[in-house]
Amino acid sequence: MSKVIAIDYQGKYQSATETYFNQEPPVTVNATRFTPVDLLAAAYGSCLMATIDFATKKAGFQAGVVRSEVTYEMAADGLSVGAYTIKIYFSEAHTNAQKETIAAATKELCHVGNTINPAITKTIELVYEP
């Protein structure tokens, strides 16, 4: 099933994005403030958290994921992302088996992560509360 994302260019490096499901004002991207590359990084962090939530519920426990922070570095050519570093924070401690489920989900199940060029370095740090 294909999905349509409508993007209206508003000039001066700014665009408004509407999706098939949003009822609110569109997401606004301004290439001088919040860039399309920032939007991709945000999508990656958001997808990872939702993926973890899905995988842990399927495994019978709650993830307690509360936040992700995505840092990216541009490649030497300046035209593409060269590396992502993602920290995902949890509100509770987990067993080793639960941590393995979470780690596997981040590496194998995230749609955005699986779409990003495999040549891009992806470092994911899972930060658990003690």
Side-chain angles (χ1 to χ4, degrees):
M1 174 178 162
S2 62
K3 298 182 179 179
V4 176
I5 307 295
I7 302 100
D8 294 320
Y9 188 67
Q10 299 173 331
K12 297 184 181 180
Y13 311 108
Q14 188 163 312
S15 62
T17 303
E18 296 181 24
T19 65
Y20 57 95
F21 62 87
N22 70 340
Q23 301 294 321
E24 299 176 20
V27 174
T28 302
V29 175
N30 182 323
T32 61
R33 292 188 186 112
F34 185 71
T35 70
V37 175
D38 296 335
L39 191 57
L40 178 60
Y44 191 14
S46 179
C47 185
L48 281 167
M49 290 189 299
T51 298
I52 291 167
D53 191 38
F54 172 81
T56 57
K57 283 181 180 172
K58 189 174 178 183
F61 68 97
Q62 295 293 321
V65 65
V66 294
R67 178 179 176 84
S68 68
E69 295 176 355
V70 181
T71 304
Y72 65 88
E73 296 176 24
M74 298 302 287
D77 63 9
L79 300 174
S80 62
V81 174
Y84 286 103
T85 301
I86 302 106
K87 288 184 179 182
I88 301 173
Y89 296 88
F90 298 85
S91 61
E92 54 196 68
H94 293 344
T95 67
N96 286 337
Q98 290 171 333
K99 289 178 181 180
E100 288 176 18
T101 298
I102 292 168
T106 65
K107 292 181 180 99
E108 301 165 7
L109 301 178
C110 176
H111 299 300
V112 175
N114 288 337
T115 301
I116 293 171
N117 185 333
I120 296 172
T121 303
K122 301 173 198 140
T123 304
I124 299 174
E125 180 183 348
L126 305 172
V127 182
Y128 299 95
E129 287 294 318

